[in-house]
Amino acid sequence: MTERSLTDWQQLASSLSLPHQAYLGGQFCDAAGGATFTAENPATGESLVAVAACQAEDVDRAVTIARDTFNAGTWRDLPPTERKAYLLRWAQLIEQHTDEIALLETLETGKPISQTTSVDIPGLIGGLRYYAEALDKLYGETAPNGPSSVCMIDREPVGVVAAVVPWNYPLIIAGWKIGPALGAGNSLILKPAEQSSLATLKVAALAAEAGIPDGAFQVVTGLGHEAGEALGRHMDVDAVGFTGSTEIGKRFLAYSAESNMKRVGLECGGKSPHIVTRDVEDLDKIAMYVAYGVWYNQGQTCHAGTRLIVDREVKEALLERLESWADKLAPGDPLDPANQIGAMIEQPQLEKVQHYLAEGQREGARLRFGGERVHRDSGGYYLTPAVLDDVSNDMRVAREEIFGPVLVVLTVDSLDEAITIANDTDYGLGAAIWTDKLSDGHRAAKALRAGTVWVNCYDHTSINAPFGGFKQSGQGRDKSLHAFDKYTELKTTWIEI
Ligand code: NAD
């Protein structure tokens, strides 16, 4: 990362060109009917640019191009070493443009520049490199069936894949789909969330520069119920890789059932429990993990540790420390490299969180601190980190995904009680436990019903570790080599000798 000051970033922002056209068949173009939607800067509430709002006819066009490309074999039939080389070239170009892409993402999402430069863009690059490197190292299998036959098992790309992604980590999550789906030889159509199209379009321009064939990778910008639904219902899309809310994830299952039974991979919402037992020494360290685990990215993280399930004996000492972390993590101008917390994504999301804070108090929870709208004069959507105490697990604030900087506190007297409450949820994305007792750590790790369990840490992550959810947090896994399962078919070939 180049070291830049707030003024440097502001200057760069004022001279930046804002990509706003869809990327279809290797060309940047408007939606056929000319429709647009407005991209907004959450840090100021100001409009950034009118972006192409693709409709069903644009989606049709993208799918036809994708299918033709797949059938022509210009991408899928390249030897894996060549697809790998293209992806690595693309990753390198993205790296060279880190500041510009990070700035676009910061402008459209309100996410601090300190993080888009150090986490989000490197996350995309790392994802592309990981899958690129894997492509020529994945072998098929042979099934042992006696001396007179050869039974080969190979992976083939499914065909045309649509990746529909959210705004909270738009490029990292796009990378989790692009890497395995495009890498495996599919034609990929990426639909970014309407709140976060700009940085994605810059990345698309670099795909062209890297020589990724026209039609192998396309970006359909647009609204969810228009472009997203058209992809979900399309009869010639073979698979969807979706990340977003559980509500819309369920719709993709319905779209599939009502169209061509396309394969649907789902990474959806969460309400992850963060257990702190009484058998812990280092509350300072735990407070830091709890604070970042819930308030990072303005609380807009699918696996945020939103339910603190804490033993009565250590609760007050932990909450005191959390209050000082809330001060350190006060939100501010995302363009200021000193800030770690920026603006929430948009006014309706801010209002939704404020509504939950009020609803929680109406149900009997106590607001210990935070939840205040600040920097109103900027026009942006800033909310201070909040803690709701005296929460019981049947309250709406304990059951529903708030998707903002709100920690709810559930007080317990034993590990068994903590595990029961932790598992009493519709979701199962992440879960964590802090304990100095080895056997309790193991016991909880086995008992917790979640795709990822952290013991004495939170949010440890790596591209080589599978990520996804139990229950209504999703189906299938992103990241790691397991992600290829979503975008490939297994083919069995019998040869009689
Ligand atoms: P969202 O479900 O509103 O939107 C996600 C994507 O779906 C966007 O591209 C959107 O345009 C599209 N979409 C919206 N309505 C649609 C419709 N009717 N038909 C087809 N497509 C439609 O989610 P969001 O607000 O962008 O993101 C926040 C949600 O994503 C949270 O619930 C969060 O937990 C979840 N999420 C999950 C993971 C994970 O890996 N499990 C990661 C990040 C975010």
Side-chain angles (χ1 to χ4, degrees):
M1 175 196 166
T2 328
E3 290 299 327
R4 292 182 196 266
S5 66
L6 170 61
T7 318
D8 294 338
W9 285 113
Q10 285 167 333
Q11 275 170 1
L12 192 58
S14 62
S15 61
L16 199 61
S17 84
L18 303 176
H20 57 277
Q21 291 179 302
Y23 178 65
L24 306 184
Q27 304 291 325
F28 284 92
C29 55
D30 294 330
T36 58
F37 64 89
T38 303
E40 193 190 74
N41 182 346
T44 62
E46 286 165 6
S47 301
L48 286 168
V49 67
V51 182
C54 292
Q55 310 289 313
E57 64 179 307
D58 305 295
V59 167
D60 266 344
R61 189 175 150 221
V63 174
T64 303
I65 293 168
R67 176 64 61 194
D68 289 348
T69 304
F70 187 74
N71 289 344
T74 42
W75 176 248
R76 84 163 157 165
D77 289 343
L78 291 179
T81 46
E82 287 187 32
R83 289 203 302 274
K84 163 177 158 176
Y86 279 109
L87 290 181
L88 290 177
R89 200 173 310 148
W90 191 12
Q92 191 181 356
L93 286 167
I94 294 168
E95 192 165 49
Q96 286 163 3
H97 290 80
T98 293
D99 282 3
E100 185 183 346
I101 301 168
L103 183 54
L104 287 168
E105 191 177 310
T106 286
L107 289 175
E108 61 188 340
T109 63
K111 191 185 280 235
I113 195 78
S114 57
Q115 282 152 15
T116 48
T117 48
S118 66
V119 177
D120 293 79
I121 313 310
L124 166 65
I125 296 163
L128 292 181
R129 287 190 173 142
Y130 173 84
Y131 287 104
E133 289 295 351
L135 296 182
D136 56 357
K137 299 169 190 73
L138 288 174
Y139 294 82
E141 302 163 11
T142 53
N145 280 296
S148 61
S149 24
V150 177
C151 180
M152 302 186 300
I153 298 150
D154 292 308
R155 280 185 187 273
E156 292 188 0
V158 290
V160 175
V161 175
V164 179
V165 298
W167 45 262
N168 63 338
Y169 296 92
L171 291 180
I172 295 181
I173 290 171
W176 296 350
K177 321 281 187 204
I178 297 170
L182 188 64
N186 296 289
S187 297
L188 180 69
I189 302 170
L190 175 63
K191 196 208 87 63
E194 44 274 40
Q195 296 86 347
S196 57
S197 313
L198 276 49
T200 308
L201 290 170
K202 177 65 197 175
V203 168
L206 299 175
E209 209 175 313
I212 308 272
D214 301 348
F217 175 73
Q218 303 179 84
V219 179
V220 166
T221 48
L223 304 179
H225 66 279
E226 295 175 349
E229 179 163 350
L231 284 164
R233 290 192 180 280
H234 205 286
M235 293 299 288
D236 206 24
V237 169
D238 299 296
V240 168
F242 171 79
T243 297
S245 60
T246 293
E247 179 196 344
I248 304 299
K250 287 180 181 177
R251 287 201 204 181
F252 273 94
L253 292 174
Y255 300 156
S256 168
E258 289 160 13
S259 58
N260 61 343
M261 224 167 90
K262 58 179 67 62
R263 189 185 301 177
V264 179
L266 298 175
E267 300 286 338
C268 297
K271 194 76 191 173
S272 299
H274 200 153
I275 298 174
V276 180
T277 66
R278 69 181 69 171
D279 304 303
V280 289
E281 292 259 312
D282 194 348
L283 280 177
D284 289 334
K285 179 177 171 188
I286 297 172
M288 182 183 75
Y289 275 89
V290 172
Y292 278 101
V294 65
W295 293 325
Y296 184 80
N297 205 30
Q298 302 71 248
Q300 303 165 135
T301 298
C302 50
H303 59 275
T306 46
R307 286 187 300 147
L308 176 66
I309 304 176
V310 58
D311 193 285
R312 196 178 305 278
E313 279 190 15
V314 294
K315 173 175 133 175
E316 284 307 320
L318 184 59
L319 289 189
E320 259 169 43
R321 287 163 171 81
L322 279 175
E323 191 159 1
S324 50
W325 271 105
D327 293 339
K328 283 182 214 151
L329 298 178
D333 184 349
L335 284 183
D336 184 342
N339 286 331
Q340 296 188 61
I341 302 287
M344 299 198 61
I345 189 72
E346 57 190 5
Q347 174 99 13
Q349 187 66 22
L350 176 100
E351 284 170 3
K352 182 179 149 197
V353 176
Q354 288 175 317
H355 170 78
Y356 271 114
L357 284 167
E359 172 68 12
Q361 291 174 81
R362 198 192 58 73
E363 283 185 295
R366 182 160 59 108
L367 182 65
R368 293 281 292 241
F369 56 81
E372 219 182 307
R373 184 165 180 192
V374 290
H375 308 312
R376 265 178 180 274
D377 50 346
S378 67
Y381 314 121
Y382 299 91
L383 201 66
T384 58
V387 165
L388 277 177
D389 194 5
D390 300 335
V391 170
S392 65
N393 206 39
D394 55 355
M395 292 180 186
R396 282 186 62 200
V397 289
R399 305 210 71 82
E400 297 173 17
E401 189 180 43
I402 298 175
F403 225 56
V406 181
L407 179 70
V408 305
V409 181
L410 300 120
T411 314
V412 293
D413 294 296
S414 71
L415 178 56
D416 284 338
E417 188 187 356
I419 291 173
T420 302
I421 290 174
N423 284 337
D424 178 15
T425 167
D426 292 337
Y427 297 107
L429 198 52
I433 171 159
W434 291 85
T435 172
D436 293 344
K437 285 189 173 169
L438 182 67
S439 57
D440 280 353
H442 278 290
R443 184 157 71 88
K446 285 194 194 304
L448 289 167
R449 303 273 302 151
T452 302
V453 176
W454 292 285
V455 180
N456 293 339
C457 59
Y458 202 88
D459 200 19
H460 280 197
T461 176
S462 163
I463 188 69
N464 64 11
F467 183 77
F470 284 26
K471 300 193 260 180
Q472 293 188 38
S473 286
Q475 301 183 358
R477 293 293 178 267
D478 274 349
K479 305 171 75 178
S480 82
L481 300 183
H482 294 280
F484 284 109
D485 294 345
K486 282 183 170 172
Y487 309 112
T488 53
E489 294 281 10
L490 282 185
K491 178 175 277 181
T492 304
T493 307
W494 283 89
I495 301 173
E496 187 65 17
I497 300 172

